[in-house]
Amino acid sequence: MAEQTALADIRAGDPDKPDSAVVRDALGVGVAVGLSGFAFGVTSAGGGLTLAQTCVLSLLVFTGASQFALVGALAAGGNPFTAAAGAFFLGVRNAFYGLRLSQLLALPRAVRPFAAQWVIDETAAVALAQPGRRAARLGFTVTGLSLYLLWNLTTLLGALGAEAIGDTDAWGLDAAGPAVFLALLAPMLRTTTERGVAALAVVLGLGMLPVLPAGVPVLVAALAAPAVLWAQGRRRGPGGADSPERADATEKHPRARGAVQGGAGDGDAGREAGEPVRLGGAERDQGTDAGSDDAGRDPREENR
């Protein structure tokens, strides 16, 4: 649903958006998120990983949520293979971004393997928000380049300064990555369905946190999407007539409301009240009372 909304924005966007505006937006995202690499460096070093291991993770993995999940599981004493598996499945979402971006960007085959390294939440969000292919390519490139360079630089600085900072939990730096992700996600929740999924996911995740092992509440929260869609389908019924989106559309567009109420077979049911209708070369008002005395009068009598 979020992807469909983004695609609608692309079609409705201004195709003449200046390159400077695209670069400005892309740099804003790249700098804001890239600075959170400092938090990852501190968290990774505090979790027992060496400086080299921390930097290699940012260079090769380069997907913040998966990196935080990996070092968090290792810091909690988890098995390295289990921690890596959890981080891997969390990063699978980037493959779905790649399916859409491959069509939108249409990059040459020789460039795609290198561009795949930059397919993450932020680059996908910036690219999909652009009005055309050229702007999408520019936004993707600027976001990916700025974020990759800054993320790795701040990761190095965070790992080097971990000893000076001390207890990372006391600073709350482990929450910087998820906080940035939520800040990017919140503006995309535009429909009632999307907000319902997000709210239910929060309830499930927080509710299961005290009773389930670490990492499992996130998987339970993923059930929010099918649950909300199922409830919405039940409310609409077989014909879909109770759809909130359809109700909003018909309220805003009287012609559509008339078509829904009157059906496709009623020629005048979809017309607005008061709209002139031509009958036999003459115009009459659709809002005229059908039961008035003039309704059945022969037009020839008017000429006598």
Side-chain angles (χ1 to χ4, degrees):
M1 184 66 70
E3 181 178 342
Q4 294 175 355
T5 304
L7 293 179
D9 293 340
I10 292 176
R11 299 188 185 99
D14 182 8
D16 299 326
K17 184 176 182 180
D19 291 348
S20 58
V22 178
V23 173
R24 180 195 61 213
D25 296 340
L27 285 177
V29 174
V31 172
V33 180
L35 292 176
S36 62
F38 184 83
F40 170 72
V42 173
T43 304
S44 179
L49 274 71
T50 65
L51 176 64
Q53 290 172 333
T54 299
C55 292
V56 167
L57 271 177
S58 286
L59 286 169
L60 300 182
V61 178
F62 187 55
T63 171
S66 298
Q67 293 178 232
F68 276 104
L70 177 62
V71 299
L74 293 176
N79 184 284
F81 294 100
T82 305
F88 170 79
F89 285 112
L90 188 59
V92 166
R93 70 189 187 281
N94 295 331
F96 296 97
Y97 296 154
L99 293 176
R100 177 64 190 109
L101 290 177
S102 64
Q103 301 175 2
L104 175 64
L105 302 178
L107 297 174
R109 292 184 179 273
V111 180
R112 292 181 184 180
F114 302 97
Q117 177 68 359
W118 290 352
V119 176
I120 55 176
D121 300 314
E122 294 78 16
T123 55
V126 172
L128 290 173
Q130 304 310 317
R133 174 166 295 169
R134 183 177 183 278
R137 286 181 173 180
L138 181 60
F140 176 84
T141 303
V142 174
T143 305
L145 180 61
S146 60
L147 181 52
Y148 188 79
L149 293 177
L150 192 56
W151 176 269
N152 282 280
L153 177 60
T154 54
T155 294
L156 174 61
L157 295 177
L160 291 174
E163 294 182 0
I165 292 178
D167 186 9
T168 58
D169 292 339
W171 289 81
L173 294 177
D174 55 332
V180 172
F181 179 77
L182 290 177
L184 292 172
L185 179 64
M188 300 179 66
L189 303 178
R190 302 177 181 178
T191 66
T192 304
T193 302
E194 293 167 356
R195 296 189 186 101
V197 170
L200 182 58
V202 170
V203 172
L204 290 176
L206 295 179
M208 296 294 104
L209 198 59
V211 297
L212 294 178
V216 179
V218 177
L219 301 178
V220 175
L223 299 176
V228 171
L229 292 177
W230 175 83
Q232 188 180 52
R234 293 272 296 180
R235 185 174 67 253
R236 289 180 179 179
D242 296 333
S243 169
E245 291 80 6
R246 188 173 184 180
D248 294 340
T250 54
E251 285 296 328
K252 294 178 181 179
H253 303 284
R255 290 179 181 270
R257 180 172 64 247
V260 171
Q261 295 174 351
D266 190 351
D268 294 334
R271 296 184 180 274
E272 295 178 73
E275 180 181 353
V277 180
R278 294 185 176 274
L279 291 177
E283 289 187 357
R284 67 178 179 86
D285 195 339
Q286 182 68 13
T288 303
D289 188 0
S292 62
D293 295 335
D294 295 336
R297 181 175 298 175
D298 189 346
R300 292 175 296 181
E301 295 179 3
E302 298 291 336
N303 299 327
R304 294 178 182 174

